[in-house]
Amino acid sequence: MDYSKIIFVTKDDTSRGPLAAAILRQKMPIEPIEIESRGLIVLFPEPINQKVEAIAAAKDLDVKGYASQQLSESDFGKDVLVLVFEESLKPTVYEEYAEAQNVYTFKEFINESGNIADPYGGELQEYGKLYDSLNELMRKLVYKLRVPKLS
């Protein structure tokens, strides 16, 4: 594995990012890798969205006590993979962080295109669909991270 840390980045770090991090931790429990999430606009730590918390509890994912965190210069490094959920966030990260490197949209990194929709304000069922989508995307991510690259 080429990365020692993976950071999922969304705008506010209260739903998609923490959920994605929890799913990936569940799928890669013994890998020597840190899995975190961050936000681009976090004025103060906020708890995870209650609907995400309910979905996480139903899927046996640990998000208890999670509070949103602002992305910072110290988060970047040559062995850190930064995955944003929306195409518009990628150039923003590069513009706002001098140390930014290894920044991809999530789908770009797994050779797909498009954004991962934010169900903000939606019903619990929409957050369940988000979980299903992220769960499938994580399967593809784990595969890509574990398959040796050909030289």
Side-chain angles (χ1 to χ4, degrees):
M1 184 170 306
D2 296 336
Y3 302 103
S4 66
K5 181 188 280 188
I6 298 173
I7 302 175
F8 296 104
V9 177
T10 56
K11 289 180 185 171
D12 64 5
D13 192 35
T14 59
S15 64
R16 294 172 294 169
L19 182 59
I23 293 168
L24 188 57
R25 277 190 220 101
Q26 187 180 63
K27 291 190 175 304
M28 299 177 68
I30 59 171
E31 298 290 334
I33 189 167
E34 291 179 65
I35 302 166
E36 302 176 352
S37 69
R38 298 284 189 269
L40 288 179
I41 305 169
V42 179
L43 303 177
F44 54 88
E46 290 186 65
I48 196 166
N49 177 298
Q50 290 179 339
K51 292 174 184 170
V52 169
E53 191 170 27
I55 294 295
K59 302 297 183 181
D60 200 27
L61 298 170
D62 183 16
V63 296
K64 286 186 178 30
Y66 185 82
S68 60
Q69 297 179 54
Q70 176 71 38
L71 184 66
S72 70
E73 292 287 352
S74 64
D75 286 322
F76 298 97
K78 65 180 180 174
D79 61 341
V80 178
L81 174 62
V82 178
L83 298 174
V84 298
F85 282 49
E86 298 167 33
E87 292 173 3
S88 65
L89 298 182
K90 183 178 172 180
T92 302
V93 170
Y94 279 116
E95 289 167 8
E96 294 185 13
Y97 297 92
E99 299 296 319
Q101 57 184 306
N102 301 323
V103 179
Y104 301 88
T105 67
F106 189 120
K107 288 191 174 182
E108 169 190 24
F109 189 76
I110 59 170
N111 300 316
E112 294 184 10
S113 62
N115 296 322
I116 299 171
D118 186 353
Y120 180 77
E123 299 297 322
L124 187 61
Q125 180 180 1
E126 291 174 66
Y127 285 86
K129 288 179 184 176
L130 171 65
Y131 168 83
D132 292 340
S133 173
L134 287 175
N135 195 44
E136 178 60 20
L137 292 169
M138 289 307 156
R139 186 185 63 72
K140 294 175 182 179
L141 177 62
V142 168
Y143 178 79
K144 179 163 185 166
L145 293 171
R146 288 186 173 159
V147 171
K149 293 174 181 58
L150 301 174
S151 300

